[in-house]
Amino acid sequence: MEQTIVEKIFSRRCKKDVFAGEVVMAPVDGAMMHDITGPLAIEKFYEMGGTKVFDPKKVIMLFDHQTPADSLNAAENQKRMRAFGKEQGILNYDIKEGVCHQVTLEKGRVCPGDIVIGGDSHTCTYGAVGAFATGVGSTDLGFALRYGCLYFRVPETIRADVTGRFTKRVGAKDLILKIIKDITVDGATYKAVEFTGETVSSMSMAGRMTCCNMAIEMGGKAGIVPPDQITAEYLKQRVSCPPTDLGSDDGASYISRREYDVSDLVPQVAVPHNVDQVVDVDKIAGTPVDQVFIGSCTNGRFEDMQEAAEVLGDRSFSENVRVLVIPASKPEYLKTLRAGIIERFVEAGALVEAPCCGPCMGGSFGLIASGEVSFSTSNRNFKGRQGSTDGKVYLGSAATATATAITGVITDPREVQ
């Protein structure tokens, strides 16, 4: 029988033909842990009788959610993880590198065809390089640290075929918001979402990461883009991966196939309080905002910073808006710095912070108060996501966020000349 790319990945790793719906015990090629979910995973590892992790070279450890430590609890958690990493011989990136999902990919810790898990729901980002990557709970992560494998139900696949060329100041974030609106927040529950078509084939790795990152916002178990030359170019300076022709067969069985044409797509915005409540930007243009956040594992890459800088030009940000800019990793920060973009942001009135999750999860800094409104390039806008449950969070692209920061109200970036 012909197979989807996800079925092929599980078949290769399990060394037998595997199809959607089957439950398998599969080896993992990587296990990522960060400062929020890591401590509990370590606790579970020891409760299961663990003494040595299955392979320290396959464990990815770093701190990004509460960094630098913003409370005594955070400091103690990081202390425990540092001790565990040293005990186990795990390379710990600590607080130095940035957001876990960006760092995992740019450090070459994932290859096409890998099965990778992480103690964070947005681990599905790694599907951008053709891996099966998914977030798991701390107990499952502790089990994988102990045994190097995990039970999976092989997911059915929704195929999203994307055609057309983006118009100016419209891009991957607008596309994925449109797809989430179509599929809904639970329409892909425990499914893989395969992004294909001419638009995806020509999309940069940054754009692919954005799309795969938000597969979880449809309930997806994973997002994945078949590896190609763009994938190979991205990985070749980072890791030596075995050659692969990995891709879905023409006759593979999909639970659903969706078609999207981006030729007439306009900037999209997810309005409070669900990610699938998506509208064209003109529907809510003029809504006042108190804070704008440009960053996160969804849109904190250099390409996003470039897009923001292009919209900003020589203008200043509104005096009525707090603007937080946080590149996703040290390399992305340095590229932005060397391009003169950080200086431009600071001159315009932004606070540029060290690479970390920042206000995305509402657990560190940059929180909003009751009645305040945030416009964010991150991935979630649930009640309380960035602070008060009486606040509101809108989601959009770096271009739309920047236009909004300039005017002080939600603004179509195409109208900023």
Side-chain angles (χ1 to χ4, degrees), residues 277-335:
Q277 301 300 305
V278 177
V279 299
D280 294 350
V281 65
D282 67 321
K283 301 297 184 184
I284 39 94
T287 303
V289 304
D290 300 286
Q291 179 169 292
V292 169
F293 168 42
I294 301 172
S296 86
C297 57
T298 314
N299 286 113
R301 285 169 277 281
F302 177 63
E303 290 84 349
D304 300 298
M305 303 301 160
Q306 275 187 312
E307 183 175 57
E310 187 273 325
V311 176
L312 177 61
D314 59 0
R315 302 174 184 85
S316 293
F317 294 123
S318 170
E319 291 291 336
N320 299 320
V321 179
R322 308 184 299 270
V323 181
L324 303 179
V325 179
I326 309 178
S329 70
K330 182 166 70 176
E332 301 302 291
Y333 187 103
L334 288 172
K335 282 188 282 187

Side-chain angles (χ1 to χ4, degrees), residues 161-166 175 196-200 259-263:
D161 289 302
V162 188
T163 57
R165 179 176 293 183
F166 290 114
L175 169 62
T196 64
E198 63 183 29
T199 308
V200 177
E259 295 184 353
Y260 304 93
D261 186 343
V262 303
S263 303

Side-chain angles (χ1 to χ4, degrees), residues 46-379:
Y46 286 126
E47 286 180 3
M48 295 175 195
T51 56
K52 291 292 183 182
V53 297
F54 74 105
D55 185 346
K57 293 182 180 178
K58 293 184 178 180
V59 180
I60 305 143
M61 180 187 289
L62 77 169
F63 310 149
D64 60 353
H65 278 60
Q66 291 179 282
T67 57
D70 59 359
S71 68
L72 287 176
N73 283 339
E76 292 294 340
N77 281 338
Q78 292 175 20
K79 178 183 175 181
R80 282 193 287 271
M81 289 188 67
R82 289 184 183 107
F84 182 75
K86 186 174 292 187
E87 170 195 296
Q88 297 290 327
I90 297 166
L91 172 60
N92 179 13
Y93 296 111
D94 211 278
I95 68 170
K96 305 178 187 73
E97 295 295 339
V99 184
C100 56
H101 308 307
Q102 179 68 26
V103 173
T104 296
L105 286 174
E106 71 187 15
K107 292 294 184 181
R109 303 300 296 269
V110 184
C111 280
D114 281 355
I115 296 176
V116 184
I117 62 169
D120 187 284
S121 57
H122 293 101
T123 298
C124 50
T125 306
Y126 317 155
V129 298
F132 179 86
T134 193
V136 298
S138 294
T139 301
D140 282 346
L141 182 55
F143 182 94
L145 292 174
R146 171 76 171 83
Y147 296 105
C149 54
L150 198 61
Y151 276 112
F152 297 89
R153 180 183 177 276
V154 181
E156 294 86 1
T157 297
I158 297 172
R159 179 165 171 163
D161 289 302
V162 188
T163 57
R165 179 176 293 183
F166 290 114
T167 56
K168 186 177 181 180
R169 295 180 179 171
V170 178
K173 183 61 166 285
D174 304 297
L175 169 62
I176 191 60
L177 288 176
K178 188 73 172 180
I179 292 174
I180 294 169
K181 177 183 180 179
D182 177 40
I183 294 178
T184 75
V185 290
D186 58 1
T189 299
Y190 215 102
K191 309 294 189 299
V193 181
E194 180 182 342
F195 300 99
T196 64
E198 63 183 29
T199 308
V200 177
S201 296
S202 61
M203 191 180 287
S204 70
M205 191 56 63
R208 297 176 185 195
M209 290 181 196
T210 296
C211 289
C212 290
N213 176 274
M214 294 190 71
I216 185 64
E217 311 312 337
M218 300 175 261
K221 187 68 174 174
I224 193 164
V225 176
D228 56 16
Q229 189 57 37
I230 290 175
T231 316
E233 287 296 320
Y234 178 82
L235 291 173
K236 72 178 183 180
Q237 301 300 324
R238 294 173 166 83
V239 60
S240 178
C241 295
T244 181
D245 58 352
L246 195 60
S248 296
D249 295 324
D250 290 340
S253 177
Y254 294 94
I255 195 167
S256 174
R257 292 186 69 153
R258 309 292 181 103
E259 295 184 353
Y260 304 93
D261 186 343
V262 303
S263 303
D264 57 356
L265 183 65
V266 301
Q268 302 291 290
V269 177
V271 305
H273 295 283
N274 281 306
V275 186
D276 63 351
Q277 301 300 305
V278 177
V279 299
D280 294 350
V281 65
D282 67 321
K283 301 297 184 184
I284 39 94
T287 303
V289 304
D290 300 286
Q291 179 169 292
V292 169
F293 168 42
I294 301 172
S296 86
C297 57
T298 314
N299 286 113
R301 285 169 277 281
F302 177 63
E303 290 84 349
D304 300 298
M305 303 301 160
Q306 275 187 312
E307 183 175 57
E310 187 273 325
V311 176
L312 177 61
D314 59 0
R315 302 174 184 85
S316 293
F317 294 123
S318 170
E319 291 291 336
N320 299 320
V321 179
R322 308 184 299 270
V323 181
L324 303 179
V325 179
I326 309 178
S329 70
K330 182 166 70 176
E332 301 302 291
Y333 187 103
L334 288 172
K335 282 188 282 187
T336 308
L337 177 68
R338 289 163 181 158
I341 295 173
I342 286 181
E343 182 178 1
R344 182 76 276 278
F345 288 156
V346 172
E347 289 174 342
L351 293 178
V352 180
E353 304 290 344
C356 66
C357 294
C360 178
M361 59 165 274
S364 189
F365 58 83
L367 309 188
I368 58 173
S370 59
E372 289 193 318
V373 175
S374 168
F375 193 99
S376 176
T377 66
S378 55
N379 41 47

